Amino acid sequence: MTFVPAERIRNVKKSATRLLFDRAYPGSINLGLGEPDFPTPEIVRQAAISFIEEGRIGYTTNAGLLDLRQKIADYHNDGAGPRFTPDSVCITNGAEEALFVVIMALAGPGDAVLLPNPAYIAYPAIAEIAGANSSFYQMPAEQGFAFNRESFRQALTGKTKLVVLVSPSNPTSRVIGRDDLQFIAGCLEGSDIYVVADEIYRELYFYERPSSISEYYSRAIVISGLSKMMSMTGWRLGWAAGPPEVIRHVTLLHQYASTCASAISQRAGIAAFTEEGRKATAEMREELRRRRDVMARAIDRELKLPYVTGEGAFYIMLDISRFGSSEDLAMRLLAERVITVPGSAFGSEAEGYLRLSFSIDTALIEEGIRRIAKGLS
Ligand code: PLP
Protein backbone atom coordinates (compact mmCIF):
# COMPACT_ATOMS: atom_id res chain seq x y z
CA MET A 1 0.00 0.00 0.00
CA THR A 2 1.43 3.37 -0.89
CA PHE A 3 0.95 6.20 1.48
CA VAL A 4 1.16 9.76 0.26
CA PRO A 5 1.87 12.10 3.17
CA ALA A 6 0.57 15.65 3.32
CA GLU A 7 2.38 18.03 0.99
CA ARG A 8 3.99 19.91 3.87
CA ILE A 9 6.11 16.95 4.97
CA ARG A 10 6.99 15.44 1.60
CA ASN A 11 10.44 17.02 1.49
CA VAL A 12 11.24 16.57 5.18
CA LYS A 13 13.85 13.86 5.71
CA LYS A 14 14.94 11.86 8.71
CA SER A 15 18.01 13.53 10.25
CA ALA A 16 21.44 12.27 9.22
CA THR A 17 22.30 11.82 12.90
CA ARG A 18 19.41 9.40 13.38
CA LEU A 19 20.34 7.50 10.19
CA LEU A 20 23.90 7.05 11.45
CA PHE A 21 22.75 5.97 14.90
CA ASP A 22 20.45 3.40 13.28
CA ARG A 23 23.36 1.90 11.36
CA ALA A 24 25.94 1.92 14.15
CA TYR A 25 27.27 -1.34 15.59
CA PRO A 26 26.47 -2.15 19.20
CA GLY A 27 29.37 -1.13 21.44
CA SER A 28 30.31 1.83 19.24
CA ILE A 29 31.76 4.93 20.88
CA ASN A 30 29.30 7.72 20.34
CA LEU A 31 30.94 11.04 19.50
CA GLY A 32 27.69 12.03 17.80
CA LEU A 33 25.66 12.73 20.91
CA GLY A 34 23.74 15.95 21.26
CA GLU A 35 23.12 15.63 24.97
CA PRO A 36 25.11 15.83 28.19
CA ASP A 37 25.80 12.42 29.76
CA PHE A 38 25.51 13.66 33.37
CA PRO A 39 22.74 12.44 35.67
CA THR A 40 19.96 14.98 36.21
CA PRO A 41 20.83 16.84 39.45
CA GLU A 42 19.54 15.26 42.66
CA ILE A 43 17.47 18.30 43.66
CA VAL A 44 15.44 18.06 40.43
CA ARG A 45 14.94 14.31 40.71
CA GLN A 46 13.80 14.63 44.33
CA ALA A 47 11.32 17.37 43.42
CA ALA A 48 9.80 15.06 40.79
CA ILE A 49 9.58 12.16 43.23
CA SER A 50 7.84 14.28 45.88
CA PHE A 51 5.33 15.55 43.34
CA ILE A 52 4.56 12.05 42.08
CA GLU A 53 4.04 10.91 45.68
CA GLU A 54 1.52 13.70 46.25
CA GLY A 55 -0.51 11.71 43.74
CA ARG A 56 -2.47 14.33 41.88
CA ILE A 57 -0.78 14.81 38.51
CA GLY A 58 -3.15 16.73 36.30
CA TYR A 59 -2.90 19.12 33.40
CA THR A 60 -1.35 22.51 34.00
CA THR A 61 -2.48 25.67 32.23
CA ASN A 62 -1.46 25.61 28.57
CA ALA A 63 1.42 28.07 29.01
CA GLY A 64 2.65 26.16 32.08
CA LEU A 65 2.81 26.58 35.86
CA LEU A 66 2.82 30.20 36.96
CA ASP A 67 5.63 29.58 39.47
CA LEU A 68 7.88 28.11 36.81
CA ARG A 69 7.06 30.84 34.29
CA GLN A 70 7.97 33.40 36.95
CA LYS A 71 11.33 31.67 37.53
CA ILE A 72 11.98 31.57 33.79
CA ALA A 73 11.06 35.26 33.44
CA ASP A 74 13.44 36.12 36.31
CA TYR A 75 16.17 34.01 34.68
CA HIS A 76 15.85 36.06 31.46
CA ASN A 77 15.69 39.37 33.31
CA ASP A 78 19.44 39.51 33.87
CA GLY A 79 20.27 41.84 31.00
CA ALA A 80 19.44 45.37 29.99
CA GLY A 81 16.61 44.32 27.64
CA PRO A 82 12.84 44.31 28.10
CA ARG A 83 11.47 42.87 31.33
CA PHE A 84 10.07 39.38 30.97
CA THR A 85 6.95 38.45 32.95
CA PRO A 86 5.09 35.12 33.23
CA ASP A 87 3.00 36.33 30.25
CA SER A 88 6.19 36.43 28.18
CA VAL A 89 6.75 32.69 28.64
CA CYS A 90 5.21 29.54 27.12
CA ILE A 91 6.58 26.28 28.55
CA THR A 92 6.85 23.51 25.96
CA ASN A 93 7.89 19.88 25.53
CA GLY A 94 11.55 20.67 25.07
CA ALA A 95 13.09 23.52 23.09
CA GLU A 96 12.26 21.51 19.99
CA GLU A 97 8.53 22.08 20.45
CA ALA A 98 9.21 25.73 21.26
CA LEU A 99 11.06 26.10 17.93
CA PHE A 100 8.22 24.36 16.14
CA VAL A 101 5.36 26.40 17.56
CA VAL A 102 7.25 29.71 17.34
CA ILE A 103 8.29 29.27 13.70
CA MET A 104 4.79 27.99 12.81
CA ALA A 105 3.23 30.99 14.57
CA LEU A 106 5.48 33.54 12.85
CA ALA A 107 6.05 32.22 9.33
CA GLY A 108 3.63 30.85 6.78
CA PRO A 109 3.51 29.92 3.09
CA GLY A 110 5.68 32.20 1.00
CA ASP A 111 7.30 33.99 3.97
CA ALA A 112 11.08 34.36 3.85
CA VAL A 113 12.97 32.87 6.78
CA LEU A 114 16.68 33.59 7.19
CA LEU A 115 18.72 30.80 8.77
CA PRO A 116 22.39 30.30 9.66
CA ASN A 117 24.54 27.94 7.60
CA PRO A 118 25.67 25.72 9.23
CA ALA A 119 23.10 25.22 11.99
CA TYR A 120 20.86 22.85 13.84
CA ILE A 121 18.91 20.71 11.41
CA ALA A 122 15.47 21.48 12.87
CA TYR A 123 15.31 25.06 11.53
CA PRO A 124 15.07 24.35 7.78
CA ALA A 125 12.84 21.33 8.44
CA ILE A 126 10.35 23.36 10.50
CA ALA A 127 10.47 26.24 8.00
CA GLU A 128 9.64 23.71 5.26
CA ILE A 129 6.70 22.34 7.24
CA ALA A 130 5.48 25.92 7.75
CA GLY A 131 5.58 26.38 3.95
CA ALA A 132 8.10 29.23 4.32
CA ASN A 133 11.07 29.87 2.01
CA SER A 134 14.44 29.39 3.70
CA SER A 135 17.51 31.36 2.75
CA PHE A 136 20.84 31.37 4.55
CA TYR A 137 23.57 33.62 5.93
CA GLN A 138 26.98 31.98 6.07
CA MET A 139 29.02 31.41 9.20
CA PRO A 140 32.13 30.82 7.04
CA ALA A 141 34.21 27.72 7.70
CA GLU A 142 37.37 29.59 6.66
CA GLN A 143 36.70 32.06 9.48
CA GLY A 144 36.22 29.30 12.02
CA PHE A 145 32.42 29.48 11.63
CA ALA A 146 32.36 32.96 13.22
CA PHE A 147 29.41 35.29 12.65
CA ASN A 148 30.02 37.24 9.44
CA ARG A 149 28.47 40.71 9.26
CA GLU A 150 28.72 41.06 5.49
CA SER A 151 27.01 37.76 4.80
CA PHE A 152 24.23 38.58 7.28
CA ARG A 153 23.60 42.05 5.87
CA GLN A 154 23.55 40.78 2.29
CA ALA A 155 21.15 37.95 3.10
CA LEU A 156 18.53 40.29 4.62
CA THR A 157 15.89 41.34 2.10
CA GLY A 158 12.67 43.33 2.16
CA LYS A 159 10.82 40.02 2.28
CA THR A 160 12.57 38.63 5.37
CA LYS A 161 10.00 37.85 8.03
CA LEU A 162 12.06 35.90 10.50
CA VAL A 163 15.74 35.48 11.37
CA VAL A 164 17.08 32.56 13.39
CA LEU A 165 20.22 32.93 15.54
CA VAL A 166 21.86 30.13 17.52
CA SER A 167 24.49 30.96 20.13
CA PRO A 168 26.35 28.95 21.34
CA SER A 169 25.86 27.06 18.09
CA ASN A 170 25.08 23.49 17.32
CA PRO A 171 27.13 22.24 15.46
CA THR A 172 30.05 24.69 15.79
CA SER A 173 29.95 25.68 19.50
CA ARG A 174 30.71 29.28 18.38
CA VAL A 175 29.16 32.17 20.28
CA ILE A 176 27.88 35.37 18.64
CA GLY A 177 29.59 38.13 20.61
CA ARG A 178 27.95 41.22 22.09
CA ASP A 179 29.22 43.54 19.33
CA ASP A 180 27.81 41.30 16.63
CA LEU A 181 24.46 41.03 18.45
CA GLN A 182 24.35 44.83 18.56
CA PHE A 183 25.20 44.89 14.86
CA ILE A 184 22.31 42.47 14.15
CA ALA A 185 19.94 44.60 16.23
CA GLY A 186 21.12 47.67 14.29
CA CYS A 187 20.39 45.95 10.94
CA LEU A 188 16.88 44.99 12.07
CA GLU A 189 15.89 48.12 14.02
CA GLY A 190 12.82 49.77 12.54
CA SER A 191 11.77 46.63 10.63
CA ASP A 192 8.95 44.18 11.41
CA ILE A 193 11.37 41.24 11.41
CA TYR A 194 11.29 38.87 14.36
CA VAL A 195 14.36 37.09 15.66
CA VAL A 196 14.16 33.56 17.01
CA ALA A 197 17.21 33.22 19.28
CA ASP A 198 18.04 29.62 20.13
CA GLU A 199 19.88 29.87 23.46
CA ILE A 200 19.57 26.24 24.57
CA TYR A 201 23.36 26.07 25.17
CA ARG A 202 23.72 29.49 26.79
CA GLU A 203 24.72 28.18 30.23
CA LEU A 204 27.37 25.86 28.81
CA TYR A 205 30.14 28.40 28.12
CA PHE A 206 33.90 28.38 28.65
CA TYR A 207 34.77 32.05 28.84
CA GLU A 208 32.32 34.91 29.34
CA ARG A 209 28.60 34.06 29.65
CA PRO A 210 27.12 34.67 26.17
CA SER A 211 24.87 37.72 25.73
CA SER A 212 21.32 37.51 24.40
CA ILE A 213 19.92 39.41 21.41
CA SER A 214 16.87 40.14 23.59
CA GLU A 215 19.02 42.72 25.42
CA TYR A 216 19.31 44.75 22.21
CA TYR A 217 16.25 43.98 20.10
CA SER A 218 12.65 43.85 21.33
CA ARG A 219 11.15 41.65 18.59
CA ALA A 220 13.09 38.66 19.87
CA ILE A 221 11.73 35.31 20.96
CA VAL A 222 14.24 33.37 23.02
CA ILE A 223 14.17 29.58 22.83
CA SER A 224 15.67 27.79 25.80
CA GLY A 225 15.11 24.96 28.23
CA LEU A 226 16.61 22.65 30.80
CA SER A 227 17.77 19.86 28.45
CA LYS A 228 21.40 20.93 28.24
CA MET A 229 21.97 23.17 31.27
CA MET A 230 20.41 20.64 33.68
CA SER A 231 21.08 17.45 31.72
CA MET A 232 17.32 16.91 31.42
CA THR A 233 16.92 15.94 27.74
CA GLY A 234 14.49 13.12 28.51
CA TRP A 235 12.26 15.29 30.71
CA ARG A 236 11.24 17.39 27.71
CA LEU A 237 11.16 20.81 29.27
CA GLY A 238 11.76 23.91 27.20
CA TRP A 239 10.20 27.30 26.60
CA ALA A 240 9.74 30.28 24.34
CA ALA A 241 10.12 33.72 25.94
CA GLY A 242 9.29 36.94 24.12
CA PRO A 243 6.74 39.70 23.62
CA PRO A 244 3.43 38.65 25.27
CA GLU A 245 1.40 39.37 22.10
CA VAL A 246 3.54 36.79 20.25
CA ILE A 247 3.58 34.32 23.14
CA ARG A 248 -0.24 34.34 23.24
CA HIS A 249 -0.32 32.97 19.69
CA VAL A 250 2.53 30.56 20.36
CA THR A 251 0.58 29.23 23.36
CA LEU A 252 -2.49 28.68 21.18
CA LEU A 253 -0.52 26.45 18.81
CA HIS A 254 1.13 24.69 21.76
CA GLN A 255 -2.35 24.04 23.24
CA TYR A 256 -3.42 22.14 20.13
CA ALA A 257 -0.08 20.36 19.77
CA SER A 258 0.29 19.05 23.31
CA THR A 259 -2.03 20.86 25.81
CA CYS A 260 0.85 21.47 28.22
CA ALA A 261 4.33 20.25 29.06
CA SER A 262 4.52 17.33 31.53
CA ALA A 263 3.32 18.50 34.95
CA ILE A 264 6.01 16.33 36.60
CA SER A 265 8.79 17.92 34.57
CA GLN A 266 7.43 21.40 35.24
CA ARG A 267 7.26 20.86 39.00
CA ALA A 268 10.76 19.38 38.99
CA GLY A 269 11.98 22.19 36.74
CA ILE A 270 11.22 24.77 39.45
CA ALA A 271 14.01 23.17 41.51
CA ALA A 272 16.50 23.89 38.72
CA PHE A 273 16.24 27.61 39.51
CA THR A 274 17.76 27.32 42.98
CA GLU A 275 21.26 27.88 44.28
CA GLU A 276 21.81 24.12 44.18
CA GLY A 277 20.53 23.91 40.61
CA ARG A 278 22.86 26.69 39.46
CA LYS A 279 25.76 24.98 41.21
CA ALA A 280 25.00 21.75 39.32
CA THR A 281 25.15 23.63 36.00
CA ALA A 282 28.45 25.25 36.99
CA GLU A 283 29.92 21.82 37.75
CA MET A 284 28.82 20.47 34.36
CA ARG A 285 30.34 23.52 32.70
CA GLU A 286 33.69 22.88 34.38
CA GLU A 287 33.66 19.20 33.48
CA LEU A 288 32.79 19.98 29.84
CA ARG A 289 35.68 22.44 29.66
CA ARG A 290 38.01 19.70 30.89
CA ARG A 291 36.63 17.24 28.32
CA ARG A 292 37.01 19.79 25.54
CA ASP A 293 40.71 20.10 26.38
CA VAL A 294 41.07 16.31 26.50
CA MET A 295 39.52 15.99 23.04
CA ALA A 296 41.60 18.84 21.59
CA ARG A 297 44.82 17.28 22.92
CA ALA A 298 43.84 13.84 21.60
CA ILE A 299 43.17 15.32 18.13
CA ASP A 300 46.55 17.11 18.18
CA ARG A 301 48.32 13.93 19.18
CA GLU A 302 46.49 11.25 17.16
CA LEU A 303 45.07 13.03 14.11
CA LYS A 304 47.14 16.19 13.59
CA LEU A 305 44.23 17.72 11.68
CA PRO A 306 42.85 21.26 11.93
CA TYR A 307 39.71 21.75 14.02
CA VAL A 308 37.47 24.48 15.41
CA THR A 309 36.68 24.75 19.10
CA GLY A 310 34.01 27.20 20.19
CA GLU A 311 33.25 29.20 23.30
CA GLY A 312 30.42 26.98 24.56
CA ALA A 313 28.22 23.88 24.03
CA PHE A 314 30.13 20.59 23.61
CA TYR A 315 31.25 20.18 20.01
CA ILE A 316 34.49 20.29 18.06
CA MET A 317 34.40 20.63 14.27
CA LEU A 318 37.14 18.43 12.83
CA ASP A 319 38.44 19.38 9.37
CA ILE A 320 38.46 16.17 7.34
CA SER A 321 38.30 17.84 3.91
CA ARG A 322 41.37 15.85 2.77
CA PHE A 323 39.43 12.60 3.13
CA GLY A 324 36.45 13.13 0.82
CA SER A 325 32.83 13.74 1.67
CA SER A 326 31.91 14.06 5.34
CA GLU A 327 28.95 11.73 4.94
CA ASP A 328 31.02 8.96 3.31
CA LEU A 329 33.67 9.31 5.97
CA ALA A 330 31.18 9.19 8.87
CA MET A 331 29.72 6.04 7.29
CA ARG A 332 33.21 4.50 6.90
CA LEU A 333 34.06 5.29 10.51
CA LEU A 334 31.08 3.22 11.67
CA ALA A 335 33.19 0.17 10.73
CA GLU A 336 35.70 1.32 13.37
CA ARG A 337 32.84 1.44 15.83
CA VAL A 338 32.89 5.18 16.30
CA ILE A 339 29.91 7.44 15.61
CA THR A 340 30.44 10.99 14.33
CA VAL A 341 28.09 13.38 12.54
CA PRO A 342 28.94 14.62 9.03
CA GLY A 343 29.12 18.40 8.75
CA SER A 344 26.94 18.28 5.62
CA ALA A 345 23.96 17.41 7.87
CA PHE A 346 24.10 21.00 9.17
CA GLY A 347 24.42 22.77 5.83
CA SER A 348 26.82 23.19 2.93
CA GLU A 349 29.17 25.43 4.94
CA ALA A 350 30.13 22.54 7.25
CA GLU A 351 30.90 20.06 4.47
CA GLY A 352 34.49 18.87 4.95
CA TYR A 353 34.01 18.64 8.72
CA LEU A 354 32.83 16.08 11.23
CA ARG A 355 31.01 17.22 14.35
CA LEU A 356 32.52 15.52 17.38
CA SER A 357 30.77 15.75 20.71
CA PHE A 358 32.81 15.80 23.92
CA SER A 359 29.84 15.26 26.20
CA ILE A 360 31.08 11.77 27.12
CA ASP A 361 33.61 10.34 29.54
CA THR A 362 37.25 11.28 28.85
CA ALA A 363 38.43 7.66 28.43
CA LEU A 364 35.81 7.23 25.69
CA ILE A 365 36.85 10.51 24.07
CA GLU A 366 40.47 9.28 23.89
CA GLU A 367 39.47 5.89 22.51
CA GLY A 368 37.03 7.45 20.04
CA ILE A 369 39.76 9.69 18.61
CA ARG A 370 42.11 6.68 18.34
CA ARG A 371 39.42 4.84 16.37
CA ILE A 372 39.03 7.81 14.02
CA ALA A 373 42.83 7.82 13.54
CA LYS A 374 42.68 4.13 12.63
CA GLY A 375 39.81 4.73 10.20
CA LEU A 376 41.73 7.53 8.49
CA SER A 377 45.03 5.67 8.18
N1 PLP B 1 18.25 23.73 19.75
C1 PLP B 1 19.47 23.22 19.54
C2 PLP B 1 20.52 24.09 18.95
C3 PLP B 1 19.74 21.88 19.88
O1 PLP B 1 20.96 21.39 19.66
C4 PLP B 1 18.71 21.09 20.44
C5 PLP B 1 18.95 19.67 20.77
O2 PLP B 1 19.92 19.08 20.42
C6 PLP B 1 17.46 21.67 20.64
C7 PLP B 1 17.27 23.00 20.30
C8 PLP B 1 16.32 20.89 21.24
O3 PLP B 1 16.46 20.77 22.62
P1 PLP B 1 15.36 20.04 23.54
O4 PLP B 1 15.97 18.78 24.04
O5 PLP B 1 15.10 20.99 24.67
O6 PLP B 1 14.15 19.81 22.71
Side-chain angles (χ1 to χ4, degrees):
M1 211 168 60
T2 52
F3 167 66
V4 182
E7 178 73 33
R8 73 173 70 81
I9 58 165
R10 262 177 228 169
N11 295 322
V12 179
K13 297 191 184 63
K14 192 167 177 177
S15 87
T17 320
R18 292 289 141 206
L19 281 172
L20 273 157
F21 285 12
D22 291 350
R23 292 186 192 178
Y25 294 99
S28 293
I29 291 183
N30 198 342
L31 298 181
L33 281 179
E35 59 182 339
D37 72 334
F38 308 111
T40 299
E42 170 80 16
I43 185 171
V44 174
R45 285 182 281 139
Q46 284 309 327
I49 290 167
S50 309
F51 179 57
I52 290 169
E53 283 177 348
E54 282 171 27
R56 166 88 185 99
I57 300 159
Y59 296 124
T60 71
T61 54
N62 297 129
L65 292 173
L66 183 61
D67 282 1
L68 181 56
R69 283 186 290 134
Q70 183 65 61
K71 299 269 185 233
I72 292 167
D74 294 344
Y75 163 76
H76 287 292
N77 278 336
D78 58 349
R83 286 205 64 77
F84 290 89
T85 68
D87 288 342
S88 332
V89 178
C90 176
I91 299 167
T92 54
N93 288 279
E96 193 83 2
E97 196 213 352
L99 283 168
F100 191 87
V101 287
V102 167
I103 294 174
M104 291 296 270
L106 291 173
D111 287 336
V113 172
L114 184 55
L115 309 174
N117 177 8
Y120 185 49
I121 48 166
Y123 314 141
I126 299 170
E128 165 83 25
I129 294 168
N133 299 323
S134 295
S135 59
F136 297 88
Y137 59 97
Q138 313 301 319
M139 311 284 274
E142 69 267 22
Q143 289 164 23
F145 299 109
F147 179 79
N148 182 281
R149 294 185 180 191
E150 216 31 58
S151 172
F152 183 80
R153 198 188 350 233
Q154 278 171 12
L156 277 178
T157 72
K159 294 198 175 131
T160 308
K161 184 96 188 263
L162 187 73
V163 170
V164 174
L165 306 178
V166 54
S167 174
S169 160
N170 177 7
T172 69
S173 277
R174 295 303 310 268
V175 163
I176 304 175
R178 185 176 295 121
D179 290 354
D180 285 330
L181 292 175
Q182 283 168 340
F183 170 84
I184 293 167
C187 290
L188 302 180
E189 211 49 73
S191 76
D192 292 337
I193 300 171
Y194 277 91
V195 171
V196 174
D198 188 340
E199 299 182 0
I200 190 77
Y201 293 100
R202 188 177 179 195
E203 297 307 323
L204 303 181
Y205 57 88
F206 305 124
Y207 307 100
E208 208 186 331
R209 182 165 179 262
S211 305
S212 170
I213 186 76
S214 64
E215 292 170 43
Y216 311 109
Y217 189 64
S218 60
R219 290 176 194 266
I221 296 101
V222 177
I223 307 292
S224 188
L226 298 181
S227 288
K228 319 284 178 176
M229 67 164 116
M230 275 288 137
S231 200
M232 285 178 67
T233 50
W235 298 68
R236 312 308 302 127
L237 200 74
W239 59 82
E245 65 275 16
V246 177
I247 294 300
R248 258 200 310 282
H249 291 86
V250 166
T251 304
L252 192 70
L253 266 178
H254 162 69
Q255 171 185 352
Y256 291 114
S258 67
T259 306
C260 62
S262 151
I264 302 167
S265 300
Q266 291 191 57
R267 278 290 289 263
I270 292 173
F273 295 92
T274 55
E275 196 62 36
E276 203 176 322
R278 267 199 298 277
K279 204 164 138 257
T281 303
E283 282 165 10
M284 290 183 217
R285 197 155 52 221
E286 283 315 303
E287 178 57 19
L288 287 173
R289 186 206 308 266
R290 200 173 71 82
R291 293 178 183 185
R292 180 196 61 166
D293 295 345
V294 167
M295 180 174 271
R297 277 197 301 270
I299 293 172
D300 290 339
R301 194 178 57 241
E302 305 283 338
L303 302 176
K304 300 183 176 57
L305 289 174
Y307 57 90
V308 174
T309 54
E311 299 89 346
F314 37 69
Y315 306 110
I316 283 183
M317 296 294 278
L318 178 68
D319 183 342
I320 45 79
S321 47
R322 293 206 264 126
F323 299 89
S325 103
S326 61
E327 195 172 331
D328 289 349
L329 182 60
M331 283 294 172
R332 280 203 328 262
L333 289 174
L334 291 181
E336 300 298 332
R337 289 175 164 63
V338 59
I339 305 171
T340 59
V341 183
S344 58
F346 304 99
S348 55
E349 198 60 37
E351 174 50 15
Y353 288 80
L354 292 178
R355 189 196 74 177
L356 308 181
S357 162
F358 51 82
S359 70
I360 58 169
D361 184 75
T362 49
L364 292 174
I365 292 175
E366 301 264 11
E367 178 56 21
I369 299 295
R370 271 195 292 275
R371 290 185 187 186
I372 294 176
K374 190 152 164 275
L376 294 179
S377 66

